[in-house]
Amino acid sequence: MPAAWLERSRAGLVDDLSRRLSSRIGSVFRLVGEAGSRELAEATLAALLKDLRDNKREAVRGVVLDMVQRLAARGLSFADVRHYVQSTRALLLGAIDAAVDLQPGAWRRIDDWLFDLMLVATMHFVAQREEAMQERAAQLEVRQMESQLVELKAAFAEKTRLLELIRQASTPIAPVVDGIVVVPLVGVFDAFRAEVLTEKLLHAVTEARAQVVILDISGVPVFDAEAAQLIIRLGQAVRLLGSEMILVGMSPDIARTIVELGVSLGGLRTLGSLQAGLAQALALRRLKIAPL
C-alpha cells in the first residue's frame, strides 16, 4: 500500500524535500530558511499521507492554501511555486522508482495527487496574486481620493476665505461725523451678508459710540421680502444698543416692491437720498456742518 510505504519513508523524505527547497538561491524558501522549509515539507507529506489513507484529495488543498497565505507576504513568486511542486514530484517519483516493496501501479495514486498539488498550487497562487493586485489598486485609488479630498478642502477653505473678504469689503462702515456712521450696501443682500454686517455694525456702533446709523440701499439691485426682513432685524439690533437706523436710497422700484409685498419696515425712518439721511442724522444729533 502506498500509505504504508510513505509512513515508513516519511522522515527521510522530509529531510530531502526540506533541503531541496531551502537550497534554491533567491527563492522564498531560502529566505525562510531550513526551519521554514522543513515545516512546509512535513505539512506536505502529512497531507499526502492523509489523502492516501482517506482515499481523498482534500488535505492537499489545505497545505497549499496555508503555504500561499503565509509566504505571500515574504515575496512568494510563481518560480517558487513551480520549484516547490517540481521538487516534491521529483522526490516522490524518484523514491517510488527505488522502492522494492510497492506493488506495480501503486505509484498512480501518488502521481494523481501530485497533479492535484500542481493544479491547486497554481490556482491559489494566481488567485492570491490577483487579490493582492486588486487590494493595491484599491489602496492607490483611496490614496488618490484622499489627496483629491485634501486639495478640494483646501480650495474650498480658500474660496470661502476670499468670499468672506469680498463680502466684508463690499460692506464698508464709515464714521462720517462724531456719533454718525454710514453703511452703503452694494450688491445682493442675503442672510450670510446680513450676519456679517450685523456683527461688524454692532461692533462699530459700540466702538464709535454711534447714535445714528445711515443704511444706504441704493446699490442693492434686488430688494425682496427676505431683504426687507433682514434689514428690519438689523434695525432692531441697532436699537438694542440705543442707536437709531435711517434707511436711505429707497428707489421708486424698491418702494413699489415693498408695497406689493405688503412688507412693513417696522418703524424704520426712510429717506430718499444719502444727503437727506445725513441731514436728518445731524438734526438728531443737534449738529450742523459749518461752512468753510
Side-chain angles (χ1 to χ4, degrees), residues 39 45 100 123 126 152 154 166 272 286-287 292:
E39 182 181 353
L45 293 172
V100 296
M123 289 176 57
V126 172
L152 287 173
I166 292 172
R286 294 187 174 87
L287 296 175
L292 296 176

Side-chain angles (χ1 to χ4, degrees), residues 266-278:
L268 283 178
R269 194 187 299 261
T270 61
L271 294 170
S273 65
L274 177 59
Q275 292 83 352
L278 183 57

Side-chain angles (χ1 to χ4, degrees), residues 242-262:
S243 301
E244 183 173 353
M245 191 168 79
I246 300 175
L247 191 63
V248 302
M250 182 79 69
S251 68
D253 290 338
I254 291 178
R256 189 181 307 109
T257 299
I258 291 176
V259 172
E260 290 174 354
L261 293 174

Side-chain angles (χ1 to χ4, degrees), residues 197-220:
L197 175 59
T198 300
E199 182 179 349
K200 287 182 60 179
L201 181 56
L202 295 181
H203 178 74
V205 167
T206 302
E207 190 176 60
R209 297 180 181 179
Q211 296 179 359
V212 182
V213 175
I214 303 174
L215 184 64
D216 185 358
I217 62 172
S218 58
V220 178

